[in-house]
Each structure stands twice: as C-alpha cells, then as structure tokens.
Amino acid sequence: MAIPPAFLPDPSSLDTRSTGDPGGPSSGDAIGTAGQGAPAFSPLYQQIKTLILRSLQAGEWKPGDMIPSEFDLAARYRVSQGTVRKAIDELATDNLLVRRQGKGTFVATHAEQHIQYRFLRLLPDTGTLEAQGPAERRIIECRRLRAPAEVARQLALRTGDPVLQVRRVLAFGGTPAILEDLWLPGTTFKGLTQETLAEDKGPMYALFETQFGVRMVRAVEKLKAVNADADTAGWLGIEAGHALLSVERLAYTYNDVPMELRRGLYRTETRHYHNELS
C-alpha cells in the first residue's frame, strides 16, 4: 500500500471531526469540503494510516520491530484508539503490520513464514508450498550493467543508470521449475554480489530488508503463454518449444517506488498459477 501523495499531514493538523473522535460527526465522514474545486480529503483513520506509513518508509520502525501500542499512537497523533486501531487493521490486511496476540503489533518481514510466499503464486497441483519445502536456488549470474531503456523506464531510472541483473533457477525436489531474470537499481543495491545471494538461504526479499533496508510492499504482474527457446530449455531441462508461463513482475517499496523488475518462465506440468480475487 503506497503513501497517498496528496495529503501527508502533521499530527497537529489532523481534523478530529471524523471517525467518531470527540466533538466530531460519524466515522463515515470525510475531512474537507466537497465543494467544486475543493480537495476531497480522506477519513481521519486514513490520515493516521498515512502517518504510520511515513514512519515505516523513513525507517523509524524497521521490519521485525514492534511499533508503539494503540494507546501510545493515539496520544502521539491526538486521536482516539479506535481511529488508530482501524488504521492498523488496514495495514495488517495489507501485510505491512502483523498483530501477535498478547505481544503487540510488529512491522511485517518477508522472513515470516506466512509472508515469505506472498509473491510466489506457482503452487503444486497436489500438496502445498510449505509441504514441499523451500525452493532449491541456483544463482547463474549477478552482474552490473547500464540500464537498457525498457528496464530503466519500468524502474523509474534514466537509460544508462547502473542496474544489477540477477539470473537464477528455482527447483523443487531436484526438478527445475522457474528461470528468473531480475533487475534492481544499482545504487540502492550496491554491494550485492553473486556470492551473497548464493550463501543466503532465506527468502530473497528478506535479504533485501536486512542488508539494504528495502521492503517490497506490493507488485503488479503480467502473464502470458510462451514457448521455451533453446537457452531457456537448457536451464529448465526441457525441449525447445516447450510451453511455459511467462510472469513479469514489477515490485514496489513504500511510496510506490519501483524496486525490482522480475521476469520469470514457469514450468506448469505439475504446478499452476494461483491468485485469489476479492
């Protein structure tokens, strides 16, 4: 969930006329004027959500950290605990925060079991990802180059800016399943090497969090059917012309900043792409 760019309030500027805080109308009311040419401001809890997101983006609370209690946040922003609770509920739904019964609310991290598979939609036809165990990863290459025009456009860079390209194969049960090419902004991921990627055994996004302070919060994907070329066939152990699922993903960190372009070729003989729509 990105920080809405149009309204980043200071706590002192919050209008408590919404969300049922003292002295205001009902929680469904929005702040601001609906007149012609006037800005349509968001409900108060959305403003609190924006402020919490701004603190997450600034690194005030890092992945795995416990954030202040609802009581403390309500005092900080001078709103009711109910308003804070509603903002935190939405952030938890967005997988940015995690509530732990009896312990508090924590900044979500990709190292957590229920989050680390959030962006992996290729599921086995029988069983679960957890049951089959983690993917076996082989880093083919990790190199620095100047961004081609299309990669630069998607990552909001200039053509020729430094980028890092990573190619890897993911296998399950010894059978290659996915060939991936990733492009990352070179300045942000300065110091990332093939050795680092090969030695790390956790989720790649967890590595990005701990070593580079980058958290992927949402992604947009494009899917289509393709046939394997000779190079792809060699890495995946199939014949050229084999039918594959092509998945292009653009992943964003806070404030809708693109941080990774990933193009994957998936074998689907015993797996399927799964997505839940709501």
Side-chain angles (χ1 to χ4, degrees), residues 109-186:
T109 167
H110 286 284
E112 296 186 52
Q113 186 71 21
H114 75 287
I115 289 178
Q116 62 180 263
Y117 295 121
R118 180 182 171 198
F119 294 119
L120 181 56
R121 300 295 183 179
L122 189 68
L123 302 184
D125 290 340
T126 57
T128 64
L129 275 174
E130 292 82 357
Q132 72 179 358
E136 304 149 26
R137 293 170 293 184
R138 177 185 175 188
I139 306 298
I140 300 170
E141 67 177 352
C142 177
R143 62 186 181 129
R144 295 189 174 271
L145 65 156
R146 296 190 180 277
E150 177 59 18
V151 172
R153 183 186 67 79
Q154 297 214 56
L155 290 177
L157 303 172
R158 292 174 298 185
T159 301
D161 279 355
V163 292
L164 192 71
Q165 182 182 8
V166 177
R167 170 169 277 204
R168 67 176 186 171
V169 172
L170 301 182
F172 296 96
T175 302
I178 306 172
L179 174 66
E180 289 186 321
D181 284 296
L182 295 75
W183 288 267
L184 305 164

Side-chain angles (χ1 to χ4, degrees), residues 52-73:
I52 295 173
L53 275 168
R54 186 164 67 181
S55 291
L56 293 172
Q57 180 185 3
E60 180 179 351
W61 310 308
K62 295 179 171 54
D65 286 353
M66 183 172 70
I67 69 169
S69 68
E70 291 177 2
F71 177 84
D72 290 337
L73 288 174

Side-chain angles (χ1 to χ4, degrees), residues 1-243:
M1 183 68 185
I3 299 177
F7 191 58
L8 291 175
D10 291 321
S12 60
S13 71
L14 295 175
D15 186 336
T16 57
R17 291 176 296 167
S18 66
T19 71
D21 281 314
S26 69
S27 61
D29 293 342
I31 298 174
T33 323
Q36 187 173 10
F41 296 142
S42 57
L44 186 56
Y45 79 91
Q46 286 284 355
Q47 297 180 51
I48 301 305
K49 180 180 178 181
T50 292
L51 289 172
I52 295 173
L53 275 168
R54 186 164 67 181
S55 291
L56 293 172
Q57 180 185 3
E60 180 179 351
W61 310 308
K62 295 179 171 54
D65 286 353
M66 183 172 70
I67 69 169
S69 68
E70 291 177 2
F71 177 84
D72 290 337
L73 288 174
R76 171 175 175 168
Y77 300 130
R78 296 194 286 277
V79 296
S80 72
Q81 285 182 247
T83 298
V84 170
R85 185 175 303 115
K86 191 169 183 179
I88 290 177
D89 284 344
E90 285 209 355
L91 290 165
T93 299
D94 294 339
N95 291 306
L96 299 182
L97 296 177
V98 176
R99 293 186 184 276
R100 294 179 184 159
Q101 188 67 33
K103 295 182 179 180
T105 302
F106 295 78
V107 182
T109 167
H110 286 284
E112 296 186 52
Q113 186 71 21
H114 75 287
I115 289 178
Q116 62 180 263
Y117 295 121
R118 180 182 171 198
F119 294 119
L120 181 56
R121 300 295 183 179
L122 189 68
L123 302 184
D125 290 340
T126 57
T128 64
L129 275 174
E130 292 82 357
Q132 72 179 358
E136 304 149 26
R137 293 170 293 184
R138 177 185 175 188
I139 306 298
I140 300 170
E141 67 177 352
C142 177
R143 62 186 181 129
R144 295 189 174 271
L145 65 156
R146 296 190 180 277
E150 177 59 18
V151 172
R153 183 186 67 79
Q154 297 214 56
L155 290 177
L157 303 172
R158 292 174 298 185
T159 301
D161 279 355
V163 292
L164 192 71
Q165 182 182 8
V166 177
R167 170 169 277 204
R168 67 176 186 171
V169 172
L170 301 182
F172 296 96
T175 302
I178 306 172
L179 174 66
E180 289 186 321
D181 284 296
L182 295 75
W183 288 267
L184 305 164
T187 301
T188 303
F189 290 92
K190 184 177 181 180
L192 182 61
T193 65
Q194 183 168 344
E195 290 72 26
T196 301
L197 290 168
E199 291 170 2
D200 187 79
K201 302 306 179 185
M204 182 177 284
Y205 283 174
L207 174 68
F208 292 171
E209 286 178 348
T210 57
Q211 293 205 16
F212 300 95
V214 173
R215 183 163 200 278
M216 305 301 184
V217 299
R218 76 176 187 91
V220 176
E221 291 187 333
K222 298 177 182 178
L223 284 70
K224 65 178 181 178
V226 298
N227 294 321
D229 59 22
D231 182 56
T232 300
W235 289 116
L236 292 180
I238 54 179
E239 294 183 357
H242 190 96

